[in-house]
Amino acid sequence: MRVAIVLFEGFTVLDAVGPYQVFSGVPGVEVVLVGASAGPVLDHVGSARMVAEASFEQVGRADVVVVPGGPGQVHHMDGGPVREWVRAVDATSTWTTSVCTGSLILAAAGLLRGRAATTHWLAVDQLGAWGASVSPERVVFDGKYVSAAGVSAGIDMALALAGRLWGPVMAQTVQLAIEYDPRPPFGAGSPHSAPAEVVEFLRERSDRVLRPR
Amino acid sequence: MRVAIVLFEGFTVLDAVGPYQVFSGVPGVEVVLVGASAGPVLDHVGSARMVAEASFEQVGRADVVVVPGGPGQVHHMDGGPVREWVRAVDATSTWTTSVCTGSLILAAAGLLRGRAATTHWLAVDQLGAWGASVSPERVVFDGKYVSAAGVSAGIDMALALAGRLWGPVMAQTVQLAIEYDPRPPFGAGSPHSAPAEVVEFLRERSDRVLRPR
């Protein structure tokens, strides 16, 4: 069982690491971080690099594909190696998943046409414009496609998928191992619960949230 | 304002990345990933590497220090560069923090003697043995020391500290930017809520959870 997590310049680290920490905790699962070429990949903040351990060429198939988001996704919408690899590996994947604006890459690759999907709350309109049927849930399953809302939602997505793949006891074991018993000190995690001034502030700056520096 | 996040071989990636994603979202904050030497650092699973962008020598001070955990921490309890750097930088830090078994490193460095602190639920006894006063909360503040429970608790810790450092509106802005509105598909995130069989399974294998492969 192989899980491939895509890295590209300008990705958001937590988008990739949430699912990584869940899937890599399941015995017997091989998780591979994959990029256009092997080597360090800079995140959207510009302060962290994760290493792509394999190149797209080296990973021709995966049971589960995870496409993270991040402002860097804008460079992969109109073609190029990330979009093409995702489309190619999707042909034989069992599950193709996304976190945050990673679903925009799936949509741009033509994989979400007419399918229910979600994304970062600031990118909902874009996802709809690419032909997906936006469902503003935290995790959305449609056939073999699973999409998560923004950034931290990848943890919930991966646990939900782990429950389907290996059963609830295994998913709960991983959840307890990473002590995922969230206690956010504030209730501002969604545009429905956050103070209006906070929502407005981010909407005004959505270019900075969704696009690279 | 500089936040330094320590990387060491055998760290748990999400321990470091939760706080990274929170602090790096605050405008004007410099986040530096730091290790014994600059370069890629392998995680405890053995499948991911993050890059230490600076060496301990290059980072003589930090306003906020974050020490992640992971099975690799056992190599840093009895001395060596990680423990010594943490102790040295703590002398001038404003806040010294830990995630998961990172608190064992703080305790081994003599920084938590008699102080309230927490850690991964499987390491509570060890933390007490190192002289800390264990408080089984998700996030524990005691003076300038802040510790988080296992792995995913680093997100809650960093948001709580962000609220103290920059006020609740900034913390809520970061929370909404990373859409941290957790919806765990299972309720097994703590030993109090997980099924007994899951708790027992992990207790029996705690050597694998807490110690390097």
Side-chain angles (χ1 to χ4, degrees):
Chain A
M1 169 72 77
R2 177 194 281 166
V3 176
I5 302 178
V6 180
L7 303 182
F8 52 83
E9 194 168 318
F11 78 113
T12 296
V13 187
L14 185 53
D15 289 24
V17 167
Y20 172 80
Q21 209 67 65
V22 171
F23 292 128
S24 70
V26 178
V29 172
E30 175 207 1
V31 181
V32 59
L33 301 179
V34 59
S37 55
V41 181
L42 190 66
D43 82 326
H44 87 263
V45 176
S47 302
R49 290 182 290 167
M50 290 197 77
V51 178
E53 304 291 344
S55 69
F56 289 149
E57 251 183 26
Q58 293 172 304
V59 181
R61 49 154 295 283
D63 302 288
V64 178
V65 181
V66 180
V67 182
Q73 54 79 18
V74 295
H75 298 304
H76 306 291
M77 304 292 289
D78 298 325
V82 171
R83 200 184 79 169
E84 296 321 309
W85 182 82
V86 167
R87 195 190 336 239
V89 80
D90 173 74
T92 57
S93 71
T94 310
W95 296 92
T96 296
T97 77
S98 63
V99 181
C100 197
T101 51
S103 57
L104 297 180
I105 297 175
L106 297 190
L111 304 176
L112 297 181
R113 218 162 283 139
R115 287 190 180 274
T118 192
T119 189
H120 191 284
W121 64 276
L122 280 170
V124 159
D125 291 347
Q126 284 183 68
L127 183 60
W130 280 96
S133 169
V134 176
S135 175
E137 307 294 324
R138 188 131 174 106
V139 177
V140 175
F141 281 77
D142 186 338
K144 75 170 198 175
Y145 298 94
V146 195
S147 53
V151 190
S152 59
I155 302 173
D156 296 327
M157 183 277 286
L159 284 171
L161 183 52
R164 297 221 188 174
L165 276 165
W166 301 289
V169 172
M170 178 57 75
Q172 289 170 314
T173 302
V174 173
Q175 182 182 3
L176 183 56
I178 65 169
E179 209 163 339
Y180 185 49
D181 179 32
R183 295 277 183 267
F186 303 97
S190 105
H192 308 294
S193 60
E197 70 187 284
V198 169
V199 177
E200 197 47 42
F201 177 85
L202 287 173
R203 275 202 200 284
E204 278 167 10
R205 296 184 176 218
S206 64
D207 274 6
R208 296 195 199 176
V209 179
L210 295 177
R211 293 174 207 290
R213 289 186 180 189
Chain B
M1 167 75 76
R2 176 194 280 167
V3 176
I5 302 177
V6 180
L7 302 182
F8 53 84
E9 195 167 315
F11 78 113
T12 296
V13 187
L14 185 52
D15 289 23
V17 167
Y20 172 79
Q21 209 67 66
V22 170
F23 292 128
S24 70
V26 178
V29 172
E30 175 206 3
V31 182
V32 58
L33 301 178
V34 58
S37 55
V41 181
L42 190 66
D43 82 327
H44 86 264
V45 176
S47 302
R49 290 182 290 167
M50 289 196 78
V51 178
E53 304 291 343
S55 68
F56 289 150
E57 251 184 26
Q58 294 172 304
V59 180
R61 51 154 295 282
D63 301 288
V64 178
V65 181
V66 180
V67 182
Q73 54 78 18
V74 296
H75 298 303
H76 306 291
M77 304 292 288
D78 296 326
V82 171
R83 201 184 78 169
E84 295 321 309
W85 182 82
V86 167
R87 191 181 351 229
V89 79
D90 173 74
T92 57
S93 71
T94 310
W95 296 93
T96 296
T97 77
S98 64
V99 180
C100 197
T101 52
S103 57
L104 297 179
I105 297 176
L106 297 190
L111 304 176
L112 298 182
R113 217 163 283 139
R115 288 190 180 274
T118 193
T119 189
H120 192 283
W121 63 276
L122 280 171
V124 158
D125 290 349
Q126 284 183 70
L127 183 60
W130 280 97
S133 170
V134 176
S135 174
E137 306 294 324
R138 187 128 175 108
V139 177
V140 175
F141 282 78
D142 186 339
K144 75 172 201 176
Y145 298 94
V146 196
S147 53
V151 190
S152 59
I155 302 173
D156 296 327
M157 183 277 285
L159 284 171
L161 182 52
R164 296 220 188 176
L165 276 165
W166 301 288
V169 172
M170 177 57 76
Q172 290 170 314
T173 302
V174 172
Q175 182 183 4
L176 183 56
I178 65 168
E179 208 164 340
Y180 185 50
D181 179 34
R183 295 276 182 269
F186 304 97
S190 106
H192 309 293
S193 61
E197 69 186 286
V198 169
V199 177
E200 197 46 44
F201 177 86
L202 286 173
R203 274 202 200 284
E204 278 167 10
R205 297 184 175 217
S206 63
D207 274 5
R208 297 194 198 175
V209 179
L210 294 177
R211 291 173 207 290
R213 290 186 178 188

